[in-house]
Amino acid sequence: ISYSPSMYSCKLFAWLDHHSRSLGLFIDGKFERPADRQSHSLSDSKGTVVCHTTIAAEDDISQCASSSVNGYKAWSSLTCFQRAKVLLRMVSVLGQHGQCVSELCEMCEASCSSSSLVRLLQFYSSWAQLRDTLITSWTPLGVVEVVTSDDCSLYSLMLKVLPALAMGNSVIVVPGRSAAPPALLLAQLFTTAGLPAGALNVLTGSDITLSAKVAQNPNVSYITYSGRLLQDGVTLCKNTAGLGVPVSVSPCIGATCPFIVFESADIDKVHWVLCVQESVVDSVMDRLKLRMAGMKCVSLLSDEHRTLVDAAVQEAQQQGATLIQSSAAPPSGAQYPPTVLCNAAPSSPCVRTPSPGPLLPLMTFRSNTEAVTLGNHSPHGQAASIWTEDLTLALETANGLSVGSVWVNSHSVSDPCLPSSGHKDSGTCTDGGQEGLYQFLRPSSSTSRPRSSHVSMDYSKFGTAASPAVIPNESDPSSAPPVYQQFVGGKACKSVSGSSVAVQSPGGDRVLAYCPDGGRKDVRNAVEAAIKVQPGWMKKSPTGRAPSLYSLAKGLESKKQDVAKAVSLQTGLSAEESGKEVELSIARLNVWAAYCDKIRGGSLPMPSSGSALSFPEALGVVGVVLPDKNPLLSMVTLLGAAIATGNAVVMVPSQKYPLPALAFVQVLQSSDLPAGLVNIISGDGDQMTAALANHSVIKAIWYWGSAEGCQYLQHTCTNPLKTLRLFCQKDGGGMDWTQPEPSFLEEMWRNAVQWKSVWIPTA
């Protein structure tokens, strides 16, 4: 290997040579090198082989999972103070070996400075210390699997690993190729710092399929993915569908981050732009030409990437874009000059799905509203950069952008205290800050979710075999069972088809009522109504939303006899028990009304100059398939959590017990909630689930139903990504709806929001 000693320290080469440049798997606190395993070579940007990593096999996965279970028992049994001491001790270890770690990251193109690792360790060691003080009534999940793509940095990997460890979990790391050697080195250093054997294991492989094999082990409680390759995260979701283990995706910040430059910006400080106000576009383009002069061509990964770049440039030019290039593009080969595509069309593929090359689309706008529209046009929502010296304009624009992080007059600023949620196709979880810790915790009052097995199913046929519908005979209303209506767009109505389904008594000996047999068109109409009203409801102040919820609770109280009768008739409960469920439902709505103005972010303490703000935002339109258990109380609990945080909902009542939810329609009719904010559609559960899953506007789905339904949703809700909460009814639905535990409701509202952070630097 032709690395010069002047480039890298002797300590790094000594570590690599100690392992004969062939790194094994890190299991149970030591390296394992099974003799019969295949290996993968890792090369640098010049093609020089750095080292070889082992490709894990089935036996290695079983050994690793068993080690992680033992590691979890040892690690979680320590006190918060003891776990914090281990993480702080790692800071001292990095002081001795930080240069070696940084050099290995540079060599493997997984860049991460030792100072950023130290900051991560210091931040999460303090949370390890304070877990039982500030995060009460929560408990660790158990064994967490952290997966990264081949191009993911070590920093992004450790942003997942360290909070999981700080909360008391054990971690199995399945790193991408670039981060594999640094991850193995860090795992060894953690053992030196006193981390129990098995608390951190590292399995390396050849591609994303290894992570799905690890997930099949029943000891894994949670999977989280990070990387620039969204397709890898989608593949992981599909490959683990039906296993009963939650999966979250949080792509790293890439080339899809929009830059918005206003005329009030200090243009000399702007290096890369995407959306520029028309009045200053000529000045920006002149500066770009000067800065790009003399730039050399950038090497692409392959000739196939060159083909993609050529196609993107050609299509952009056909749509009216003009080019600014540092030099002419070579006629062939895997190289291309830095190129700005001026006046690119917002619908151009180079804007929505950038090709793998040095291309920068540049679009113009006139007003702040138009800038926000351009910034939100992309399906990606990880981050954005705003350039202006008008702070009010910056904050107004930041509030309108559907992204997780916003930098004002800066770019790519990162700190673990900043919470950020991926919006749209850029993730389904929150990383960083206190808010990012909860993905590795569950309420102490809840039980671990039972695992399930993948079943063979035809996804295209799910939800197509609906229950037989009937047209009720209304010729003699006095003797016929009542006909209920669904609630869409603020009005009680029949289904689009006009058909209904007979609702049987608990004993199945008579027809209690007829409820509408909704379908895809009903879901479409409900979502259209919801998307019209949700932005205005979200912008309404929390103190303005609270009176509507109090009014809803008062309306339920005025109709409690009718609703209690529906609960009793449907479920077979006594009048006393039904009345108690209604009383609990009234109290629960009052609790959510009180929560409205308590769910807020605030300013964050920053380690460097500047200020940072974090605040929760609504997800958008949420689809909810309601559980059988406590049909009224579960409905108002989920309804309250969604609308208290600014969302709109499309709710599908329990197919077994639909009457309590449909009886609640009369409460909604007399409420002052905006029309379309709450929609209730009854019908076949699988058919409704498929309709919700395939609607691109719905941002999240909370589902209680069959194991097949859970598997279908995890496999299907990947384009675009949807935030999922999946519970199998046969396992009891996973919740006790009557419990008053604060963590129970806190988990509800945390799943109903996404977090945004805004960084404002100072001179």
Side-chain angles (χ1 to χ4, degrees):
I1 295 181
S2 59
Y3 290 110
S4 167
S6 60
M7 294 172 59
Y8 301 107
S9 65
C10 296
K11 186 182 292 186
L12 173 59
F13 289 112
W15 183 78
L16 289 172
D17 291 339
H18 175 73
H19 294 278
S20 303
R21 305 286 173 132
S22 181
L23 304 178
L25 311 171
F26 195 83
I27 301 175
D28 208 35
K30 58 184 181 298
F31 279 96
E32 298 282 352
R33 299 182 184 85
D36 58 343
R37 301 293 186 264
Q38 294 180 331
S39 64
H40 170 76
S41 61
L42 181 67
S43 304
D44 65 3
S45 58
K46 298 180 180 179
T48 305
V49 175
V50 176
C51 62
H52 298 270
T53 55
T54 303
I55 298 177
E58 294 288 347
D59 292 344
D60 304 317
I61 294 173
S62 299
Q63 180 186 356
C64 178
S66 177
S67 169
S68 293
V69 171
N70 294 330
Y72 169 65
K73 293 176 181 177
W75 181 239
S76 61
S77 65
L78 299 180
T79 65
C80 291
F81 172 66
Q82 290 171 323
R83 286 194 294 270
K85 279 184 65 178
V86 172
L87 296 180
L88 280 177
R89 200 177 297 128
M90 186 63 184
V91 175
S92 301
V93 172
L94 273 181
Q96 303 173 31
H97 304 282
Q99 182 181 356
C100 183
V101 174
S102 298
E103 290 175 349
L104 185 58
C105 288
E106 181 183 349
M107 189 182 292
C108 298
E109 299 182 5
S111 60
C112 181
S113 65
S114 58
S115 60
S116 61
L117 288 177
V118 167
R119 170 61 182 153
L120 282 172
L121 286 164
Q122 291 173 337
F123 181 78
Y124 287 113
S125 65
S126 63
W127 274 114
Q129 174 74 61
L130 297 173
R131 191 198 76 180
D132 290 348
T133 304
L134 298 182
I135 309 179
T136 57
S137 302
W138 294 78
T139 189
L141 298 174
V143 179
V144 173
E145 180 186 357
V146 177
V147 185
T148 64
S149 65
D150 288 342
D151 59 353
C152 184
S153 68
L154 183 66
Y155 182 88
S156 296
L157 171 64
M158 298 312 292
L159 191 59
K160 296 282 191 179
V161 171
L162 290 177
L165 289 174
M167 294 299 99
N169 302 279
S170 65
V171 179
I172 298 175
V173 176
V174 184
R177 296 177 183 179
S178 298
L184 290 165
L185 174 56
L186 275 181
Q188 184 178 12
L189 295 178
F190 263 110
T191 303
T192 305
L195 189 71
L200 178 60
N201 294 316
V202 182
L203 290 177
T204 54
S206 57
D207 54 35
I208 196 68
T209 57
L210 173 62
S211 58
K213 294 177 181 177
V214 175
Q216 292 173 4
N217 190 285
N219 294 307
V220 175
S221 301
Y222 175 63
I223 307 169
T224 181
Y225 166 86
S226 181
R228 290 189 177 91
L229 300 177
L230 176 60
Q231 187 55 46
D232 280 353
V234 169
T235 300
L236 178 61
C237 290
K238 291 186 174 182
N239 289 346
T240 56
L243 298 180
V245 56
V247 180
S248 69
V249 177
S250 54
C252 303
I253 295 170
T256 54
C257 168
F259 286 70
I260 298 176
V261 183
F262 288 96
E263 61 184 0
S264 55
D266 184 352
I267 298 176
D268 289 327
K269 295 182 180 179
V270 180
H271 298 282
W272 294 103
V273 296
L274 179 63
C275 307
V276 183
Q277 199 156 13
E278 283 187 353
S279 56
V280 292
V281 67
D282 291 337
S283 177
V284 170
M285 289 171 63
D286 289 341
R287 284 168 169 77
L288 281 172
K289 291 175 183 178
L290 287 174
R291 292 174 182 174
M292 292 172 63
M295 285 186 178
K296 297 181 180 180
C297 289
V298 176
S299 297
L300 305 176
L301 293 179
S302 63
D303 291 335
E304 288 77 10
H305 281 190
R306 172 61 191 269
T307 302
L308 292 174
V309 171
D310 286 336
V313 171
Q314 183 178 0
E315 185 169 357
Q317 288 180 300
Q318 290 174 350
Q319 294 179 348
T322 58
L323 306 184
I324 298 177
Q325 291 182 314
S326 59
S327 61
S332 61
Q335 287 190 327
Y336 206 82
T339 301
V340 178
L341 303 170
C342 301
N343 297 314
S347 59
S348 174
C350 67
V351 175
R352 294 183 60 82
T353 54
S355 60
L359 304 181
L360 178 67
L362 187 150
M363 299 176 290
T364 60
F365 61 88
R366 296 182 181 88
S367 64
N368 173 37
T369 302
E370 192 174 337
V372 170
T373 301
L374 284 177
N376 288 336
H377 186 70
S378 167
H380 309 283
Q382 190 73 5
S385 181
I386 299 172
W387 296 80
T388 176
E389 294 184 341
D390 186 338
L391 183 58
T392 301
L393 177 62
L395 292 177
E396 183 181 345
T397 305
N399 190 53
L401 290 171
S402 183
V403 295
S405 298
V406 179
W407 302 294
V408 178
N409 296 329
S410 55
H411 179 56
S412 293
V413 179
S414 60
D415 190 86
C417 77
L418 292 172
S420 177
S421 303
H423 291 46
K424 297 180 287 188
D425 259 0
S426 290
T428 59
C429 68
T430 300
D431 293 313
Q434 179 180 351
E435 292 73 21
L437 301 174
Y438 289 92
Q439 64 177 306
F440 303 108
L441 297 166
R442 60 176 174 83
S444 302
S445 57
S446 67
T447 57
S448 299
R449 298 187 189 182
R451 291 292 298 268
S452 56
S453 300
H454 178 89
V455 297
S456 178
M457 60 182 294
D458 186 345
Y459 295 105
S460 64
K461 294 182 179 179
F462 180 83
T464 57
S467 303
V470 297
I471 305 295
N473 183 6
E474 301 179 359
S475 58
D476 185 9
S478 61
S479 61
V483 179
Y484 283 81
Q485 292 184 311
Q486 56 190 17
F487 193 67
V488 177
K491 298 178 181 179
C493 58
K494 297 180 179 180
S495 65
V496 172
S497 66
S499 58
S500 299
V501 175
V503 180
Q504 301 291 330
S505 63
D509 55 344
R510 61 191 176 96
V511 175
L512 296 177
Y514 292 98
C515 67
D517 184 33
R520 292 179 182 272
K521 291 183 178 179
D522 296 281
V523 171
R524 180 198 63 194
N525 294 341
V527 174
E528 287 179 358
I531 198 63
K532 288 178 182 178
V533 71
Q534 190 273 329
W537 177 253
M538 179 178 65
K539 290 178 182 178
K540 198 171 185 178
S541 68
T543 53
R545 293 196 291 263
S548 295
L549 280 161
Y550 281 122
S551 174
L552 193 63
K554 188 176 180 180
L556 178 57
E557 189 170 12
S558 67
K559 302 284 187 181
K560 64 181 178 181
Q561 289 185 347
D562 293 340
V563 178
K565 182 179 179 180
V567 173
S568 177
L569 188 68
Q570 176 78 93
T571 61
L573 293 175
S574 66
E576 182 181 354
E577 291 174 314
S578 300
K580 184 178 180 181
E581 180 163 345
V582 175
E583 290 293 340
L584 285 173
S585 300
I586 295 169
R588 188 63 50 83
L589 283 172
N590 278 287
V591 168
W592 283 125
Y595 252 107
C596 280
D597 59 354
K598 310 301 185 296
I599 304 169
R600 57 186 179 84
S603 61
L604 300 169
M606 301 304 298
S608 56
S609 62
S611 302
L613 304 173
S614 72
F615 43 90
E617 293 185 332
L619 297 173
V621 180
V622 179
V624 185
V625 181
L626 294 165
D628 296 338
K629 189 176 181 181
N630 299 110
L632 178 68
L633 180 58
S634 61
M635 184 197 70
V636 299
T637 300
L638 296 167
L639 168 67
I643 65 175
T645 49
N647 300 284
V649 291
V650 178
M651 310 190 85
V652 178
S654 160
Q655 189 172 348
K656 185 178 180 181
Y657 300 133
L659 297 188
L662 295 176
F664 190 75
V665 167
Q666 59 183 316
V667 179
L668 292 170
Q669 285 179 298
S670 60
S671 73
D672 63 351
L673 292 174
L677 188 70
V678 178
N679 303 272
I680 300 177
I681 306 173
S682 60
D684 180 79
D686 288 349
Q687 188 179 15
M688 295 292 97
T689 298
L692 293 172
N694 289 288
H695 203 297
S696 60
V697 172
I698 291 177
K699 302 299 184 182
I701 296 179
W702 303 342
Y703 176 82
W704 281 261
S706 65
E708 291 79 10
C710 292
Q711 179 174 323
Y712 173 82
L713 286 170
Q714 187 167 331
H715 184 274
T716 305
C717 296
T718 54
N719 187 25
L721 280 174
K722 289 179 172 60
T723 303
L724 301 176
R725 300 192 69 223
L726 308 177
F727 299 91
C728 185
Q729 293 270 43
K730 71 176 184 179
D731 301 321
M735 291 187 179
D736 177 9
W737 299 99
T738 63
Q739 64 173 301
E741 280 287 335
S743 59
F744 172 73
L745 295 182
E746 184 180 2
E747 183 188 33
M748 288 286 176
W749 75 256
R750 286 192 178 278
N751 282 286
V753 300
Q754 53 192 356
W755 289 85
K756 177 187 287 184
S757 61
V758 180
W759 174 285
I760 308 170
T762 55

